[in-house]
Structures are given as structure tokens and as C-alpha cells.
Amino acid sequence: MSVRGLVDLPLVQTTSPLPASTVSFYQNNLAQGSGPNGTWLMIDFFGTTAGSPHAENMQQVNEILTTYSSTLSLLKTCYDRMRTLLTGGYTSGVFPMITITIPAGPGAGTYGSYDSALNALIDAANGAVNSAAPALGSDLDTLNTAWYQMVWRTMVFEPANQTRADIDFATIPAASELSCTAFITSIDGYGQETEEGQAAFVLQSLAQDNLPGQALQGAMIEGRNEQALDALPLTRWNEVPSQPESPPPQADLPDASLTVDQARASVNARLRTTS
Amino acid sequence: MTYQSLISPLALTAGTGLYGNISVPSALGINTAFVTQVATYESGLTANLIFSVNKAATDLSLSISPATLNKLKTIGSTVAPALGDTFPANVTANIANSMAAAQMVTVGASYISSIPKFIQAFGTADGYIGLTNQVIESVVNANNYLGPTFTTMDDLITANLSRVNLALQPFGEDLSNLGNLVDLERTEFFGTPAALVAQISVIGNMVNGVTPCLMDNLRAQGLTDQDIENLVSFNVQSLLNPEGLTPVEFDELQRRAYPALVATTGPCLEEITDILDVTVPVNTAADLLNPVVIFPNSFASLTFPTPSGDQLIFNTDGSVNSDVEPILNSGSVTPNGCDQLAKIIPPDQAAANRALQLSFAQVSGLASVKLPQLADALK
């Protein structure tokens, strides 16, 4: 190989290493993750399962609903009345000659069908939402943002990203022993991927409070320790030898070695052939 | 990412919960904090809404129309969907009868319902992330990592060798005829008498001297053996050699050495070219300092760096580009000037060699390369 220049390639003789079109291409097509610079995080694929940001966002939602419980009391009444309606609490008469009478309050009136009565309560509920929303002030934005983030990530973002990475749960083999065994040898490595939203965080979020789950968490801590201990000349004993203590029995294979007499005979035969 | 593949007791114990064996509890499951928060949500404001949706959807005796059911499932979707446990209106997805919060838990749980499947998916995602993020970060860094030092794409892909000569193949051919003429560790002395005599001494394994006939020629110019030793050993003051000759003293030795090189011809010259393995035709040893002679095929495309871009050093007829000396003396290149060298060798060669010294300095790491190696890489 010889060093050569870009002869007859004028389009790549650019004034910067990457032309703007190249940068745009990667920004618009590849850099779509939620990490810095559009990089990908593990939670972009399994955030719902790991509760990120869902656990925190749902907690935010719950706190806001608790704070504004009195503001939302009319809405709650609408929902309570829906249950009463559909369990027959407002119904008199015998099917098909039924009369539904919702008392004073949301959806009040007399109806000939559950469907029409329910519609009235739905309209009342939407009215209650519209009147409560302004009263939430800036917490309405917080509520909507938290909720939207969760729903969008679960229903749109994560499924699209799984498709992008060729992950299709429908076609993944259900019983891959090899993958599980390989995972055992990778836990320590995953434990070292400590960036926000990456492998260690996700596995930590999924680890169950049982023996294997706690062992998984411990193995990740062990993996991070390995990184720190690598700088120290300390003897470690936590790697289990993976070779058998006694060598396994050897197969009875042909020896494939000539005796001295056989070798001499072979040499002489060759000499006779060539002379 | 670098993995250490540690099989430890902890990893082995964790492994029992990964194979999906029903006799062993799973090591992984949906995040419990999320599930707990959803349970809290579903037992609050929207509890009876959730009941009502399920009732309306499953109890056919109520005759709830699909349109009404859909309205029931989308209360507040355009204002505050969390108040109606529904999807925001701008999210395109089908909402289940279990409503939004429960549906999110269902989706999240589905990914981990089979641990072996999840593990495979996790590994695939990890691979995707590692590879893709490398590319993304490279794009981010590409226009910044060189700072203001990016010149051209040719320079980038040739380790700046194209800054010396863009006609790489002819340049390589010329270099291949120069054997070990140039010590690339001392390109700042390129084209000087000291560089030549020092290289003869090193390549010829001559202690503190050069070939006998060249020694005679140098002595004929008034140089003592100590002077010659100073030349071949670059005994000039520097940070590491504070006791060396001053630059002025050293250049005086070079000035007197140059006529000795001019006088070195015939068998004496042949001895030198043999030692250095130089095959380009030369008439005197001084010709070995002349770029037009030693680069016969490529001198016309030799360049040197200037603030406004690389400039050609020579015209096609072998004369030095008249722009070279003014640029060297302008202070816009560092170190500047060629006047000192012009007192040692012919002024035009001085300008050209000074320019080439600057040119070679652009190639980072060149000091670790031998001239034949460079020739092989280019020819």
C-alpha cells in the first residue's frame, strides 16, 4: 500500500472535516436518542420496564392530584356517578322499560338508556376538567409534561427504537440458553456502564428483591470494584476457576508417530524413488 | 466498551434467575416503584373511571356504543389527560380498556415477561448503543477535534505528507533514490552541511568524523578535527547542551564546510553516496544539499506552509519561487528568515531548504521514521 491523496475527488475536498450536510444527516437520522448530543440510552429501549422516567413522573402526577384533590372533587363526582350509573344505581323499571334518573349534580336528568346517561356524565366530566385545569396553574404544565413523557415513551418512542435496533420480541427465541449463559459473564461489564440511563441503571431498576436479584446487584458492584482494583497490585480471589481440577479423560486417538525403523524405511523408500 | 468476563460466585448466583426456570425466582422484573405509583394513581381520582370503562366495554347489556366508549376513554385528552387516565391527543396509539396507566405497566411488563428474551433484547440494544453512540460522538467531535488546524482532506488522510508534496508518488520515487541521505530526526537542519556530514558519520559508523577523503577536504578549508567532531555531533548550544558552540560559531563551521563539500567529487563522492545508498546522480557532495538535484522528479511540486495556505517552493525551471524568501522573512512563519543559512549555502538553496524544514515540521512523528521507510510508503 502507498500513501495517496484524493485525486479526482473534488467533492470531498471540503473546508472542514465534515460538511454541514453530513452533520445534518447523522443528527436527523442517527442521533435521535435522549442522551447528550442525541446519543442512545438503554432507557430509550426499556425505560418503561425500568420505570425511568415513569416511576418519578407517576409520583409527580400523584402528588399533584393529591395537592389539588378539592379542586378536582367535581371531576371525581362525575366518575363516581359513572360507576353508580353502570351498576344500576340510577335505574328503575325492568328492561327494556327502564328509566335512569341522575339526581341533581353532574349529569342530572332522566334518560332512557345507559348510553345517553353516560354521555351526559362524560360531558360533565370534560366540563369539570376544563374548569379545574386553570386552577392548577403552572402545575398543569408539570402534570401534562410528566404524563406525556411517560405515554409517548411507552407507546411511541421505545417501540420505534426497538425496531430501529432490530429488536422484535415476537421473533426473539423464547429459550436461548446461550444468551443467558453469556449474560452471566457480562454482568460485571454491564455494572461498569454507569452513565445515566445506561445498562447498570436499568439492571439495577429491574433487579428483584430475591436471591438472584440481589446477587445481580452484587455482581454489578463487584464489576465496578474490579475497575477500581485493577489499579492496585492486590490479590483477588473472586474469580472462580473455570477449568476442571483434574484434566478430563483423553480420547483414544491415533498416535500418528512412526517408529525409528518405520522412519528409516520411509526415508530409504523415498531415496529409491528419487534416484 | 471493555468487559472483563468475570465469572464470580455472585454472577453464578444471579445467573440462576436468568434462565426462565420456573423453579427459581427471576432475577429481573418490572420496576416495582413504577408499579406501586401506578397502583396509587389507579386507587385515587380515576378509580371509578377505570371501573366504568371496563364495565362499559364488557357488560353488553348496557349497550354502550363504541363511540361513547371511546369518549369515555378520552376524557381530558386535549386538556389534561392525566385527569382522565387517557393518552394525550397528540400521541397516536390505541388506548386499551385498561386505560393509559395500566397499559403502560402492561407494555413494560411484556418486555420482561420472558427473561431469556429480555436478555437477548438487552444485549442487542447494548450493542446498538455502543456502536451508534461512537458514530454520533464522532460526528459531534469531527469539526472540533482538530481545532483550527484542519487544512485539507488530503492533508488529513496523508498525515500531512501532502503538505510537503502533493505529488506523492513522484516524491516517493525521489526519496527512494536518496537512501539514508536525510535524518528525519533532524529535519530542522535539512539541507545544511552539518546535517550531511553528521549523517555520513552516523550511517558510516565513523566515530567523530567522516570518510578520510572528506576529512582531508574539510581540513583543507581550515577545519580542525575538533571542528569536524563538533559538526558531526551537532555540538551547538541548546537546552540539553548548554556548553555547546554558539549558533554563530556553529554556522561558521558550516560555512567553512560547504566549500569542502563542493570540492568532494569523483571517488571521494562515490564513497559517500555508497555509504548513504544515494543513487540520484550528483556531481559534488554539495549537490546533496540541493533540492532540485535530489528531487529531480518532484521538486516542482514541493510546498511549504504559510498562513494563507501551502505555497510552491520552486518554479518548473528549478528556480526558487520569488514568494518564498519574503514569506520566510515576513515573521508570519516560525522560526523566520533564511539569512543565516544563506551565508552557508547558496541563497536560493538556503531559501528552499529553509522552506522544506518548515514543511517537514508539519508531519508529526516524522522523527520516528527512517527515510527508506518513508520512501516505501510513498512511491
Side-chain angles (χ1 to χ4, degrees):
Chain A
M1 295 292 123
S2 302
V3 177
R4 291 292 178 262
L6 300 168
V7 179
D8 293 334
L9 299 173
L11 295 178
V12 293
Q13 295 287 8
T14 50
T15 56
S16 61
L18 283 190
S21 59
T22 302
V23 175
S24 296
F25 174 83
Y26 284 104
Q27 283 176 338
N28 296 332
N29 290 285
L30 226 61
Q32 299 293 298
S34 61
N37 299 318
T39 51
W40 293 95
L41 308 177
M42 193 60 80
I43 58 172
D44 293 341
F45 300 88
F46 310 114
T48 305
T49 311
S52 178
H54 298 60
E56 189 178 309
N57 284 22
M58 190 58 81
Q59 182 178 353
Q60 238 178 358
V61 168
N62 286 333
E63 286 169 356
I64 291 173
L65 296 184
T66 301
T67 300
Y68 292 94
S69 58
S70 60
T71 306
L72 297 168
S73 60
L74 177 61
L75 179 60
K76 187 167 188 316
T77 301
C78 293
Y79 293 152
D80 294 344
R81 288 190 166 203
M82 288 175 187
R83 181 178 185 137
T84 306
L85 165 69
L86 297 176
T87 52
Y90 299 132
T91 307
S92 60
V94 178
F95 184 80
M97 305 299 294
I98 58 168
T99 303
I100 298 168
T101 306
I102 299 178
T110 304
Y111 306 92
S113 70
Y114 289 102
D115 192 87
S116 57
L118 185 57
N119 266 288
L121 284 171
I122 292 171
D123 291 342
N126 276 317
V129 169
N130 290 337
S131 64
L136 267 58
S138 60
D139 284 332
L140 178 64
D141 278 341
T142 306
L143 181 73
N144 283 344
T145 301
W147 191 262
Y148 175 82
Q149 268 189 0
M150 287 191 292
V151 174
W152 175 74
R153 289 186 78 102
T154 301
M155 305 307 298
V156 179
F157 188 55
E158 289 173 26
N161 297 339
Q162 289 175 11
T163 300
R164 179 192 284 264
D166 295 330
I167 296 169
D168 181 1
F169 278 91
T171 58
I172 295 174
S176 171
E177 192 176 278
L178 179 60
S179 300
C180 300
T181 306
F183 193 88
I184 293 172
T185 67
S186 301
I187 297 174
D188 61 322
Y190 287 139
Q192 295 171 15
E193 291 179 40
T194 55
E195 299 88 347
E196 230 174 49
Q198 295 291 21
F201 170 80
V202 169
L203 290 176
Q204 186 70 34
S205 302
L206 302 177
Q208 299 295 284
D209 193 18
N210 52 34
L211 177 60
Q214 289 197 6
L216 177 70
Q217 296 175 73
M220 290 201 292
I221 293 172
E222 186 175 43
R224 293 191 282 278
N225 285 352
E226 290 295 301
Q227 225 174 11
L229 290 171
D230 275 348
L232 305 175
L234 302 176
T235 306
R236 286 171 265 171
W237 302 99
N238 58 330
E239 180 157 14
V240 181
S242 57
Q243 300 301 318
E245 279 193 357
S246 321
Q250 301 299 300
D252 188 15
L253 299 169
D255 195 7
S257 174
L258 297 175
T259 63
V260 170
D261 288 343
Q262 286 172 327
R264 287 179 61 78
S266 176
V267 168
N268 287 330
R270 225 180 296 140
L271 285 172
R272 283 193 294 274
T273 309
T274 56
S275 64
Chain B
M1 283 171 276
T2 306
Y3 296 147
Q4 300 184 68
S5 293
L6 175 69
I7 305 180
S8 70
L10 282 171
L12 291 169
T13 304
T16 61
L18 300 175
Y19 289 90
N21 189 310
I22 58 171
S23 64
V24 181
S26 293
L28 303 171
I30 188 170
N31 179 259
T32 50
F34 175 46
V35 173
T36 301
Q37 289 296 333
V38 167
T40 301
Y41 172 82
E42 290 178 331
S43 64
L45 169 70
T46 58
N48 283 333
L49 170 64
I50 296 168
F51 173 89
S52 300
V53 168
N54 184 59
K55 183 73 170 166
T58 56
D59 188 344
L60 300 180
S61 69
L62 298 172
S63 299
I64 304 299
S65 71
T68 300
L69 181 62
N70 189 59
K71 278 178 64 177
L72 187 61
K73 289 160 67 173
T74 55
I75 291 173
S77 66
T78 60
V79 177
L83 302 184
D85 196 5
T86 187
F87 289 163
N90 56 351
V91 172
T92 306
N94 292 325
I95 186 163
N97 293 334
S98 58
M99 304 299 275
Q103 195 165 343
M104 287 191 281
V105 172
T106 300
V107 170
S110 72
Y111 296 149
I112 207 157
S113 60
S114 161
I115 304 297
K117 277 199 176 196
F118 176 77
I119 281 171
Q120 291 171 79
F122 187 89
T124 301
D126 194 61
Y128 177 88
I129 291 167
L131 183 61
T132 309
N133 283 356
Q134 266 189 335
V135 173
I136 293 170
E137 295 291 9
S138 294
V139 171
V140 171
N141 292 332
N143 284 340
N144 301 318
Y145 79 110
L146 293 172
T149 65
F150 176 82
T151 49
T152 69
M153 200 58 78
D154 276 319
D155 296 341
L156 190 64
I157 70 168
T158 63
N160 278 344
L161 287 167
S162 57
R163 301 202 75 181
V164 182
N165 199 322
L166 198 47
L168 293 165
Q169 195 270 338
F171 184 50
E173 288 294 339
D174 281 342
L175 290 176
S176 69
N177 293 325
L178 298 182
N180 290 293
L181 175 64
V182 179
D183 178 5
L184 295 175
E185 270 190 84
R186 292 189 186 275
T187 54
E188 70 272 27
F189 289 99
F190 177 84
T192 64
L196 177 56
V197 298
Q199 191 68 347
I200 294 168
S201 178
V202 167
I203 300 298
N205 282 321
M206 296 162 197
V207 179
N208 296 327
V210 287
T211 59
C213 62
L214 181 56
M215 288 288 286
D216 289 341
N217 288 348
L218 290 167
R219 290 175 187 131
Q221 295 299 321
L223 289 163
T224 64
D225 287 3
Q226 180 61 55
D227 290 335
I228 296 168
E229 183 180 329
N230 285 333
L231 269 179
V232 302
S233 61
F234 282 104
N235 185 22
V236 61
Q237 277 178 358
S238 68
L239 272 175
L240 298 176
N241 186 26
E243 303 303 317
L245 300 176
T246 66
V248 171
E249 289 169 336
F250 190 77
D251 284 347
E252 175 57 22
L253 295 182
Q254 292 203 80
R255 189 190 64 76
R256 284 150 63 186
Y258 184 77
L261 297 175
V262 174
T264 301
T265 61
C268 187
L269 174 61
E270 271 180 46
E271 192 178 10
I272 290 169
T273 55
D274 281 348
I275 288 170
L276 297 175
D277 198 20
V278 171
T279 55
V280 68
V282 290
N283 295 320
T284 77
D287 283 345
L288 295 172
L289 305 181
N290 187 342
V292 175
V293 173
I294 62 176
F295 300 120
N297 301 302
S298 63
F299 69 84
S301 51
L302 287 168
T303 52
F304 78 113
T306 76
S308 55
D310 294 344
Q311 296 285 335
L312 291 166
I313 299 176
F314 290 100
N315 301 312
T316 53
D317 62 359
S319 59
V320 176
N321 180 352
S322 57
D323 291 335
V324 171
E325 193 171 331
I327 292 172
L328 292 175
N329 290 328
S330 69
S332 62
V333 293
T334 308
N336 66 332
C338 57
D339 291 348
Q340 277 303 109
L341 187 56
K343 296 172 187 172
I344 298 169
I345 63 178
D348 57 339
Q349 286 184 35
N353 286 335
R354 185 77 186 87
L356 277 170
Q357 289 169 11
L358 293 171
S359 199
F360 283 123
Q362 300 303 301
V363 184
S364 181
L366 193 60
S368 308
V369 177
K370 298 298 178 194
L371 195 64
Q373 284 178 303
L374 183 62
D376 279 345
L378 294 180
K379 68 180 181 184

